[in-house]
Amino acid sequence: MSTFPLFRLPLVSLAVVVNHFHLNHLINISFCSQKSRKLLKALRRKTLKISIKLLCTERNCIYLSDRFHEDILPGENLDKTQYSSISIESKGNFPDARSLKIGDMLVPMSNSVDKHGEINLRFHFDDVFDGLKTISRYICSFLENPVYGLMLSSDFHPDQIRRTIDWAVSFQKSVERCYIEDYEISDHNFRNVLDVCNSINKFYFHGKLSPEFRHQFTFENDSITLMNSFWVNLDNLLSVNCRRFTVWGSNLTNLEVNQYLKHWKMGKFPNESNRDVTINYGFDIQTENGTLTTIVHEGGNFISKWFYMVVW
């Protein structure tokens, strides 16, 4: 079979071809040479709708897709979603690995083919975290998009979550989403994470902490979700001003919730969001400036421990 000299095409024709590439093909070809990277970066159609997610859990990888989480509708067919996955692994005995120049580094690289026939790349580093940073910087520069999301645990290092967040916000100031699932994290390390959670727009934590855990923190972005949040107290509530604050398994008393609502009525937590919400049952309270909220619960005369507020 003869080869097709892709990069010998006229620039106008090459631009048309490049903009028909699947995201995975675009990423893979960019690693072929510095020339291919420069041409693809210059000719590809620029879009801010590329999701770059870093996974630092039991495995380390960079997951790319051409859809953001909030743009996916319930029940939507995702077959047309473009994606690419790049794994970061420790160096080992990889007989099929070959060296690839990335910046000033020669990095061992191997690949595998998934069930859809797509090539998934694997890069091998002495230090996996250093490798994740190196490849992430390359991807963000090539696609001209920031890191969109983090999925983190402390499987590889006790302080892995905090140092990953620190690194991500060191060059882009904030991250849209951070999802943490960690049932081994220490109280000390989770306190360190809460101290930087305000650099995340949407923060989620699923994990287990000691019965003695307590910590004061502030959050003033879009939303924060805390599971097993027995430790959340009134002072925590009063330090959070966001569109959505979800606490599961809290030990908040009726008196504490009532005090929080009194602060809200006094206009202490101004926060705006434009969303359509359908509710079936609830009762209304009003702030001193006329803002209305509906307390939504399970319905009937019984007020359950589960409720949420919708501000109109």
Side-chain angles (χ1 to χ4, degrees):
M1 180 182 293
S2 60
T3 59
F4 179 74
L6 178 65
F7 293 115
R8 293 182 186 176
L9 287 173
L11 285 179
V12 174
S13 301
L14 181 58
V16 173
V17 174
V18 166
N19 285 301
H20 280 82
F21 280 163
H22 187 283
L23 179 61
N24 190 48
H25 305 157
L26 195 69
I27 295 298
N28 291 347
I29 296 175
S30 77
F31 283 112
C32 291
S33 67
Q34 291 187 5
K35 178 183 178 181
S36 63
R37 179 183 183 275
K38 289 179 181 178
L39 280 173
L40 293 179
K41 184 175 180 178
L43 297 177
R44 74 176 188 87
R45 185 179 297 111
K46 305 299 187 292
T47 175
L48 297 177
K49 288 293 187 178
I50 293 183
S51 169
I52 303 175
K53 295 180 183 177
L54 309 187
L55 279 68
C56 301
T57 55
E58 72 280 356
R59 61 189 291 255
N60 290 271
C61 76
I62 303 167
Y63 186 82
L64 314 171
S65 69
D66 65 346
R67 304 287 299 280
F68 285 161
H69 179 86
E70 57 265 26
D71 294 336
I72 299 175
L73 301 175
E76 184 177 359
N77 188 339
L78 300 180
D79 288 345
K80 294 184 179 180
T81 299
Q82 296 184 20
Y83 66 89
S84 183
S85 178
I86 302 172
S87 297
I88 314 297
E89 303 177 5
S90 298
K91 281 185 178 178
N93 184 22
F94 296 95
D96 60 339
R98 59 187 183 278
S99 292
L100 188 68
K101 189 171 184 180
I102 301 177
D104 297 327
M105 300 177 61
L106 283 176
V107 181
M109 184 271 290
S110 57
N111 59 67
S112 59
V113 180
D114 66 16
K115 62 181 180 180
H116 303 292
E118 298 293 344
I119 296 175
N120 295 322
L121 302 179
R122 299 193 302 265
F123 291 93
H124 311 289
F125 288 83
D126 289 324
D127 185 290
V128 172
F129 186 61
D130 285 343
L132 189 76
K133 292 187 290 185
T134 298
I135 304 301
S136 297
R137 280 193 292 263
Y138 174 93
I139 294 296
C140 290
S141 172
F142 173 65
L143 294 176
E144 299 178 85
N145 277 255
V147 172
Y148 168 80
L150 304 172
M151 296 186 66
L152 307 174
S153 72
S154 56
D155 287 23
F156 279 99
H157 191 279
D159 197 28
Q160 179 170 303
I161 298 173
R162 170 62 189 264
R163 66 177 185 164
T164 305
I165 295 174
D166 284 346
W167 173 76
V169 301
S170 68
F171 68 91
Q172 63 181 58
K173 296 184 179 179
S174 66
V175 175
E176 179 63 22
R177 288 176 174 269
C178 180
Y179 180 89
I180 299 168
E181 184 170 358
D182 195 329
Y183 293 90
E184 302 296 331
I185 191 171
S186 69
D187 290 357
H188 170 73
N189 284 327
F190 187 57
R191 289 189 183 97
N192 287 339
V193 171
L194 285 176
D195 288 342
V196 294
C197 71
N198 210 34
S199 58
I200 309 296
N201 195 36
K202 298 178 177 68
F203 181 87
Y204 306 81
F205 174 74
H206 292 219
K208 184 178 180 181
L209 302 164
S210 77
E212 295 77 28
F213 181 83
R214 300 291 184 275
H215 193 58
Q216 293 305 125
F217 68 99
T218 60
F219 187 84
E220 297 181 337
N221 286 319
D222 180 81
S223 57
I224 181 168
T225 299
L226 301 171
M227 305 297 289
N228 194 24
S229 54
F230 63 88
W231 54 274
V232 173
N233 56 33
L234 178 61
D235 288 337
N236 292 136
L237 292 182
L238 299 180
S239 298
V240 172
N241 176 29
C242 61
R243 179 181 63 83
R244 174 180 290 178
F245 184 18
T246 305
V247 290
W248 292 92
S250 79
N251 290 321
L252 292 166
T253 66
N254 291 340
L255 179 60
E256 288 174 319
V257 174
N258 191 48
Q259 288 179 284
Y260 174 79
L261 293 176
K262 286 181 178 179
H263 276 75
W264 181 84
K265 285 188 66 176
M266 294 170 61
K268 296 292 185 180
F269 308 107
N271 194 277
E272 296 182 0
S273 175
N274 294 318
R275 297 182 64 209
D276 292 331
V277 178
T278 301
I279 60 177
N280 297 317
Y281 189 90
F283 59 88
D284 297 334
I285 60 175
Q286 196 169 33
T287 67
E288 295 177 356
N289 65 7
T291 301
L292 185 69
T293 189
T294 300
I295 307 297
V296 184
H297 56 89
E298 290 182 346
N301 296 322
F302 174 73
I303 306 299
S304 70
K305 292 183 179 180
W306 179 90
F307 73 93
Y308 63 91
M309 298 168 56
V310 178
V311 181
W312 306 97

